[in-house]
């Protein structure tokens, strides 16, 4: 009934009766709801806050997987990772769904000019953009860049090379995790993206007969935490404190936390073990500075929208691709099923939308059908999402009784998580395995918002109810193989004779054995590598012989 009234409202409004609404979609990399409008008193985010004041702010929005490419696939195709069978960064979504029509492509097919700036699809780590989605070539500044001479190395850093799809990135030096250069905003990527967005909006004003779908993808606060010095100076370092909880939840399986290998790709960050207190506080400062820098660039885009007289005819969606562990539970980065990694900021504003704050549960895959309904174009041709247009008219409305998200771990384990208003259940098992083989986690966010203890054993009745929700969903597909499409690219990894050289490179003390620390040096997948060490260590000695290292790599 509410949806019918909403659509009646849209159809009867002079705006929507006269022309198709424009769409401005703002995608932000690694942004958790650490924002003023979400109740944080330290962070400076005035432009996101003013956008929230004119739209609906979602308090319980969740990504479908807490890592870039699968999360963005869910937004842009409406398909969850477990539907596609893609959980990694490298596999392009069209290998699983070659005929999928993406969100911008759907708008393009329905009379819109679809333009993309910055990070929309995940590009890097072997993955590529999607030319079919755009009306014009995508605008892309460098994903990782430095302004200071000592950080801007002649060759690419390890993380730069990964985002540029260069081979053997592990051989390259690690880059700086932070930078505070006294430079203009547009020396870094997000300033360039904002400048380009301002130009595109001015051009759009000149073509009122052609509605636009403009996707603007900001890079920060993704690592490295680089931002002009003035954004660092917004904060007194003394205001930052470490999270109280510095250990994983009591009773959680040891594979559930992240070992934050992404952060360990940067210089001055230990390749194993914890950060120092000083390092942790500096990174927290850096995340805040990078967030404020991105916020200022958003402000330029919103100002341009208003200045060109486009605000009253434009739907704005603001979306963070996933959360980020900022030292809680002793963890950093994303890559888990916990609240700090899975919860995201979502704000939707525009004509006919009633401003407010909602507790309605939504998933990233719900945004595609919602935008199609708001624009009154056909429903997406594929997808797992549900339109939440009802909530945009009445923030007290709900469209879901639970959200679902996933995260894989080594050995083929899949963690499928059900999030309700109060609880999260995570079921860890191999896809297709019997339910009784599962390892379970349960958290109660009313009684224990910090996730200090796994309650699965203590509360079987709650587990039973949440597993009934989980039973409504099909089993997760295993990660699809990309060997056919990438057979030629995989060939350079084939030679076995290099493993002896790799052993020699890691054997820093030249004692003919590799300690675990030496084994982990320059691993391309530092989150998973620690789990491989025991498999290589066949004699259980705690160190690898040359033979163990070479034979283990051939398995």
């Amino acid at each position: 009934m509410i949806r019918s009234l909403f659509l009646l409202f849209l159809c009867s409004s002079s705006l929507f009766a006269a022309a198709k609404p424009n769409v401005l979609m703002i995608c932000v990399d690694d942004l958790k709801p650490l924002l003023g409008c979400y109740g944080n008193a330290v962070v400076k985010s005035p432009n996101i806050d003013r956008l929230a004041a004119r739209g609906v702010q979602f308090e319980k929005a969740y990504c479908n997987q807490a890592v870039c490419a699968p999360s963005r696939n869910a937004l842009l195709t409406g398909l969850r990772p477990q539907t596609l069978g893609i959980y990694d960064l490298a596999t392009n979504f069209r290998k699983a769904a070659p005929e999928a029509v993406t969100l911008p492509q759907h708008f393009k097919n329905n009379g819109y000019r679809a333009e993309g700036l910055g990070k929309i699809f995940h590009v890097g780590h072997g993955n590529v953009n999607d030319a079919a989605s755009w009306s014009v070539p995508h605008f892309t500044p460098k994903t990782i860049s430095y302004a200071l001479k000592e950080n801007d190395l002649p060759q690419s850093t390890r993380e730069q090379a990964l985002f540029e799809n260069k081979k053997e990135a592990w051989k390259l030096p690690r880059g700086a995790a932070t930078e505070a250069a006294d430079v203009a905003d547009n020396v870094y990527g997000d300033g360039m993206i904002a400048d380009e967005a301002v130009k595109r909006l001015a051009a759009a004003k000149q073509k009122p007969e052609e509605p636009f779908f403009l996707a603007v993808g900001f890079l920060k606060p993704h690592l490295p935490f680089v931002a002009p010095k003035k954004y660092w100076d917004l904060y007194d370092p003394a205001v930052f404190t470490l999270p109280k909880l510095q250990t994983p939840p009591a009773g959680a399986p040891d594979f559930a936390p992240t070992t934050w290998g992404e952060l360990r790709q940067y210089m001055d960050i230990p390749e194993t073990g914890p950060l120092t207190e000083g390092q942790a506080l500096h990174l927290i400062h850096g995340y805040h500075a990078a967030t404020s820098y991105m916020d200022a660039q958003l402000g330029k885009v919103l100002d341009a929208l208003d200045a060109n007289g486009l605000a009253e005819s434009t739907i704005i969606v603001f979306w963070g691709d996933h959360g980020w562990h900022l030292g809680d539970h002793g963890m950093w980065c994303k890559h888990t099923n916990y609240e700090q990694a899975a919860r995201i900021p979502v704000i939707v504003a525009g004509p006919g939308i009633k401003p407010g704050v909602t507790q309605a549960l939504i998933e990233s895959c719900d945004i595609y059908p919602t935008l199609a309904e708001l624009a009154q174009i056909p429903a997406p041709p594929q997808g797992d999402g549900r339109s939440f247009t009802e909530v945009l008219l009445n923030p007290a409305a709900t469209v879901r009784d639970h959200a679902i998200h996933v995260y894989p771990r080594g050995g083929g384990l899949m963690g499928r998580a059900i999030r309700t208003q109060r609880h999260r259940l995570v079921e860890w098992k191999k896809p297709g395995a019997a339910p009784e083989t599962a390892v379970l986690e349960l958290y109660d966010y009313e009684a224990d918002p910090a996730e200090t203890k796994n309650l699965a054993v203590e509360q079987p009745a709650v587990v039973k109810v949440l597993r009934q929700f989980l039973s409504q969903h099909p089993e997760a597909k295993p990660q699809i193989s990309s060997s056919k499409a990438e057979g030629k690219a995989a060939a350079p990894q084939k030679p076995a004779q290099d493993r002896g050289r790799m052993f020699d490179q890691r054997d820093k003390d030249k004692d003919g054995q590799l300690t675990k620390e030496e084994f982990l040096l320059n691993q391309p997948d530092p989150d998973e590598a620690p789990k491989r060490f025991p498999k290589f260590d066949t004699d259980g000695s705690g160190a690898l012989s040359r033979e163990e290292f070479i034979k283990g790599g051939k398995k």
Side-chain angles (χ1 to χ4, degrees):
M1 180 62 181
I2 293 176
R3 176 172 294 179
S4 299
L5 291 172
F6 182 75
L7 292 176
L8 180 63
F9 173 83
L10 291 183
C11 292
S12 63
S13 71
S14 58
L15 166 67
F16 287 94
K20 295 178 179 178
N22 303 308
V23 177
L24 173 62
M25 184 172 73
I26 308 292
C27 302
V28 187
D29 211 356
D30 284 18
L31 182 68
K32 64 193 297 179
L34 187 73
L35 302 165
C37 56
Y38 279 87
N40 187 275
V42 175
V43 73
K44 306 294 193 299
S45 55
N47 297 293
I48 300 171
D49 298 347
R50 68 172 163 122
L51 176 60
R54 68 199 245 189
V56 175
Q57 174 182 315
F58 287 80
E59 290 288 320
K60 289 187 172 71
Y62 292 91
C63 68
N64 290 106
Q65 185 184 331
V67 71
C68 296
S71 175
R72 289 165 183 267
N73 289 342
L75 171 78
L76 294 164
T77 68
L79 296 168
R80 297 181 178 118
Q82 60 269 38
T83 300
L84 287 168
I86 297 176
Y87 310 97
D88 64 358
L89 297 176
T91 307
N92 188 270
F93 72 91
R94 292 208 181 274
K95 291 173 183 171
E99 302 302 320
V101 177
T102 68
L103 170 56
Q105 185 180 10
H106 189 49
F107 274 78
K108 183 181 77 168
N109 292 347
N110 283 278
Y112 280 73
R113 180 179 176 86
E115 304 182 36
L117 318 177
K119 185 171 181 179
I120 306 301
F121 292 93
H122 180 83
V123 176
H125 304 85
N127 215 328
V128 295
N129 212 320
D130 188 65
S133 292
W134 310 111
S135 304
V136 295
H138 194 276
F139 175 85
T140 310
K142 287 183 70 173
T143 300
I144 294 179
S145 61
Y146 297 99
L148 296 178
K149 186 177 180 180
E150 60 267 30
N151 293 331
D152 190 19
L153 304 178
Q155 75 274 49
S156 293
T157 66
R158 192 178 301 178
E159 282 291 286
Q160 282 174 329
L162 288 171
F163 279 103
E164 293 165 3
N165 285 327
K166 293 181 178 178
K167 297 178 181 179
E168 297 186 313
W170 62 271
K171 293 182 178 179
L172 296 170
R174 297 191 293 167
T178 65
E179 182 176 270
D182 192 6
V183 295
D185 287 3
N186 60 7
V187 169
Y188 294 119
D190 279 351
M192 300 177 196
I193 292 166
D195 287 352
E196 184 65 23
V198 169
K199 294 177 184 176
R200 301 290 178 99
L201 290 170
K205 180 184 179 181
Q206 305 305 315
K207 299 178 180 179
E209 73 288 350
E210 184 179 35
F212 64 79
F213 181 103
L214 178 61
V216 180
F218 290 120
L219 307 171
K220 298 303 158 191
H222 192 288
L223 283 166
F225 299 150
V226 301
K229 182 176 178 294
K230 63 185 178 182
Y231 298 104
W232 289 78
D233 292 344
L234 291 173
Y235 302 96
D236 178 357
V239 305
F240 298 114
T241 58
L242 298 180
K244 291 180 180 179
L245 186 63
Q246 288 292 308
T247 57
D254 59 6
F255 51 75
T258 176
T259 54
W260 35 285
E262 179 187 12
L263 179 59
R264 298 186 192 278
Q265 297 292 320
Y266 292 88
M267 69 169 71
D268 300 326
I269 303 298
E271 295 195 351
T272 60
L275 302 177
T276 67
E277 181 178 357
Q279 287 174 320
L281 291 172
H282 181 65
L283 287 170
I284 292 171
H285 186 176
Y287 187 92
H288 282 71
T291 297
S292 292
Y293 165 57
M294 175 278 299
D295 177 86
Q297 309 321 302
L298 172 65
K300 296 173 185 177
V301 177
L302 295 178
D303 288 346
L305 191 73
D306 291 338
N308 286 290
L310 298 169
E312 294 304 314
S313 58
T314 302
I315 300 162
I316 307 171
V317 176
F318 179 89
W319 172 82
D321 62 351
H322 43 67
W324 222 79
H325 290 285
L326 205 56
D328 65 281
H329 298 91
M331 291 187 278
W332 298 84
C333 309
K334 48 268 190 184
H335 313 116
T336 75
N337 274 319
Y338 294 119
E339 185 80 353
Q340 293 299 316
R343 183 172 172 244
I344 59 173
V346 172
I347 300 166
V348 183
I353 293 172
K354 181 179 179 180
V357 176
T358 181
Q359 299 294 325
L361 288 158
I362 63 166
E363 303 173 17
S364 291
C365 63
D366 296 332
I367 290 175
Y368 186 168
T370 302
L371 285 177
E373 187 167 13
L374 287 174
Q376 299 182 74
I377 63 175
Q382 79 286 316
D384 299 315
R386 297 180 184 176
S387 172
F388 53 77
T389 52
E390 297 174 25
V391 181
L392 300 176
L393 179 62
N394 175 19
T398 60
V399 293
R400 289 186 175 278
D401 53 16
H402 69 276
I404 185 169
H405 57 88
V406 299
Y407 209 90
R409 284 289 182 255
L413 276 181
M414 180 62 64
R416 295 192 299 160
I418 292 293
R419 180 61 158 95
T420 65
Q421 288 288 344
R422 178 168 179 171
H423 295 97
R424 172 179 282 109
L425 175 78
V426 186
E427 178 196 76
W428 293 98
K429 69 181 184 68
K430 293 183 178 180
E436 56 269 21
T437 67
V439 176
L440 301 174
E441 294 180 86
L442 175 68
Y443 301 99
D444 182 340
Y445 294 94
E446 289 185 11
D448 181 24
E451 297 167 320
T452 65
K453 185 179 181 181
N454 176 10
L455 302 171
V457 174
E458 298 178 17
Q459 299 186 14
V462 177
V463 168
K464 182 178 180 180
V465 171
L466 296 179
R467 291 194 91 171
Q468 289 173 350
F469 286 141
L470 191 59
S471 70
Q472 299 172 16
H473 297 272
E475 282 279 356
K477 290 182 181 177
Q479 170 70 38
I480 68 168
S481 170
S482 56
S483 57
K484 288 184 179 180
E486 297 180 338
K488 293 182 179 179
Q493 301 175 12
K494 186 178 177 182
Q497 62 268 27
D498 285 348
R499 294 201 62 78
R501 180 174 60 84
M502 292 166 65
F503 181 93
D504 294 335
Q505 289 175 330
R506 286 175 165 80
D507 186 15
K508 297 299 184 183
D509 56 8
K510 304 304 178 186
D511 65 350
Q513 298 185 95
L514 296 186
T515 64
K516 186 174 182 180
E517 289 71 23
E518 289 174 323
F519 173 77
L520 295 175
L521 286 173
N522 296 322
Q523 290 284 0
D525 56 346
D527 259 350
E528 295 298 322
K531 302 166 190 174
R532 289 200 298 274
F533 184 81
K535 298 177 183 178
F536 281 59
D537 185 16
T538 56
D539 63 4
S541 66
L544 304 184
S545 67
R546 188 183 191 87
E547 182 180 12
E548 285 176 320
F549 180 78
I550 292 174
K551 285 187 175 180
K554 293 179 178 179
K555 293 179 181 179

